[in-house]
Every structure is written in C-alpha cells, then in structure tokens.
Amino acid sequence: MKPKILLVEDEKDLVKLIKYNLEKDGRFAVSSAGDGEAGLALARKSKPDLVILDIMLPKMDGLEFLRELRRESGVPVVLLTAKRGELDRILGLKLGADDYVCKPFSVGELGARVEALLRRAAPGRDGDGAGTGASIGGISIDFERHEVAVRGKKVRLAPKEFAILKLLVEANGKVLSRDQLLREIWGHDDDVEIDTRTVDQHVARLRRKLRPEDARIATVTNFGYQIKR
Ligand code: CA
C-alpha cells in the first residue's frame, strides 16, 4: 500500500505542486487541508503515515496543530517553515516535529525528506533487519515493526522518542549523556540551535507514554540517562 500523506497548507499553488510531485510515479497518496482545524479533523479520520505541516495557517496555526496532534499521535511530521521563522522552527521541533524544510524549497528535497522519515519510522520495511525485539520490565519493543507495548498495551511513539528508547536499550544499562543522544538523534540538524534541554523534553514525553513503566528510564543528574532492567 502507498504511504498516506496529509498536507496541511493554505497556499493553493504550493498544495498543487507538492501533491503533483509526491503522487507522481504512484509513490504516495496525498490528501490536503487548507487550515489547522480541517487538518486535525482529517488527521483523525484518515490516519496518515506522515504529515507535512505549514506553520502559518488560518484558524489554527501549525504549532497549535502540532501540539494537539502530539496528544494523540506519534505520526512523523515535516514542517514547512519560512527562513525568517527560526523561532517557530525550533519550537516546532521541540513540540515533536521530526524534520523541516525552509521555504522556498525544492519539491525534490521535500520528497527526499519524506522518504527518509518514512524509512526511519518503519525500519523493517527496507529490510535492514536490525535486531528483532527486546523487553525491559513491562516494556516490549519490536525494532523491526517499530512497535512498543507497555504491559501488553501498544503505545505510539514519535520517531525521535523511539530512537531515544532504542539507543538506551542498546546501551544496555550504560549511561548515555544528553550530548551523545543529541548527536546521535539530532545530528543532521546542525544548523538549528537545539540544546540538551530538547533531549530532556523528548525523554519527558517518552516517559509519559511509558507509564507506569516510566521509571525504567533513569536520570543521571546533570549527565544523561540509562535504562534500568
Ligand atoms: Ca501558509
């Protein structure tokens, strides 16, 4: 099945251009909404595999949309941001967006980001077969299917939350510093001022989703995190 993409953008010409390019060669199925409220309704209804989100939107802006969306879904999100809107971009990444492109961008670049993110979200799909599964107390993780369950109940993690959990589990009790996590997971975002507080925010979100097993991720004060078996 083709991956489903939800595009939330109010500039009609841009919607047309992106839709045309992503649907070309039958790569993706793209649906679109012209404002934040309609986008949220469509996200709930169509359960997309990835969301492309403009920040400047009528009714509910992109950041508000993202805050709402993250309460209920870990779907990968790519932000479309204006060059001058650096604060928006940083805030967007902190709110749980997974990547961004700056306007004006090439649709080819956007397509490449979308593909990379979908690959990361479903590592089993391109057959890299990295590991199979692990369980830490009541948390079970299927690395291939990118699925996590807490005491038998599935939880949806955003790609970066999953990446943090995976690194900690692979470190097998060794402490990982916040800098290490930052480099490993945000390494390609060198041009954005993301600091270690961003790591803390993502870990906080990850822990909330892992409740009541959240204590499995232990804080090492002023340094980093480790997994407790
Ligand atoms: Ca706009």
Side-chain angles (χ1 to χ4, degrees):
M1 260 220 327
K2 281 185 225 177
K4 284 189 288 184
I5 295 184
L6 169 61
L7 170 60
V8 189
E9 166 65 80
D10 58 322
E11 287 166 57
K12 292 203 173 73
D13 290 342
L14 195 54
V15 170
K16 239 195 236 165
L17 182 72
I18 293 174
K19 204 167 147 59
Y20 172 80
N21 274 277
L22 292 181
E23 289 192 329
K24 195 172 64 177
D25 314 324
R27 280 194 299 167
F28 303 107
V30 181
S31 57
S32 64
D35 66 69
E37 281 177 12
L40 206 55
L42 199 53
R44 287 179 180 136
K45 209 177 99 193
S46 72
K47 303 257 178 286
D49 297 298
L50 184 140
V51 175
I52 299 172
L53 175 64
D54 186 29
I55 289 187
M56 300 287 284
L57 290 168
K59 289 190 188 169
M60 175 193 281
D61 76 17
L63 295 176
E64 189 56 36
F65 171 97
L66 188 55
R67 204 173 279 130
E68 287 292 318
L69 182 72
R70 278 293 173 253
R71 287 199 188 130
E72 50 200 81
S73 165
V75 63
V77 173
V78 183
L79 293 179
L80 304 179
T81 68
K83 260 235 147 48
R84 61 182 182 281
E86 190 176 22
L87 279 177
D88 284 346
R89 183 156 74 239
I90 293 170
L91 189 57
L93 291 168
K94 285 184 175 168
L95 284 173
D98 300 284
D99 206 348
Y100 65 90
V101 293
C102 288
K103 290 180 176 181
F105 53 85
S106 80
V107 280
E109 186 196 351
L110 177 64
R113 297 293 181 94
V114 165
E115 275 174 8
L117 213 51
L118 285 170
R119 259 202 311 276
R120 245 201 285 161
R125 217 190 294 172
D126 59 354
D128 69 355
T132 45
S135 52
I136 310 291
I139 306 169
S140 49
I141 307 148
D142 184 327
F143 291 121
E144 272 177 31
R145 290 163 178 264
H146 208 262
E147 283 173 359
V148 176
V150 177
R151 300 189 182 175
K153 203 169 157 239
K154 251 196 214 175
V155 292
R156 288 197 62 149
L157 301 186
K160 285 194 166 64
E161 293 159 6
F162 187 84
I164 291 170
L165 181 62
K166 186 164 186 264
L167 284 174
L168 288 172
V169 169
E170 284 168 353
N172 201 14
K174 212 178 85 190
V175 182
L176 297 181
S177 72
R178 295 139 96 215
D179 280 323
Q180 252 172 305
L181 289 167
L182 191 65
R183 261 198 319 277
E184 293 274 353
I185 296 169
W186 281 268
H188 72 296
D189 289 335
D190 272 353
D191 51 331
V192 178
E193 294 166 44
I194 286 195
D195 57 31
T196 49
R197 272 171 304 180
T198 307
V199 177
D200 298 338
Q201 282 156 353
H202 277 76
V203 169
R205 207 175 299 135
L206 173 61
R207 274 185 177 138
R208 274 200 297 279
K209 292 183 182 176
L210 296 179
R211 275 179 199 159
E213 293 278 344
D214 47 312
R216 296 281 169 193
I217 298 179
T219 303
V220 180
T221 311
N222 295 327
F223 187 70
Y225 298 98
Q226 72 184 137
I227 205 101
K228 291 269 191 205
R229 288 197 176 263

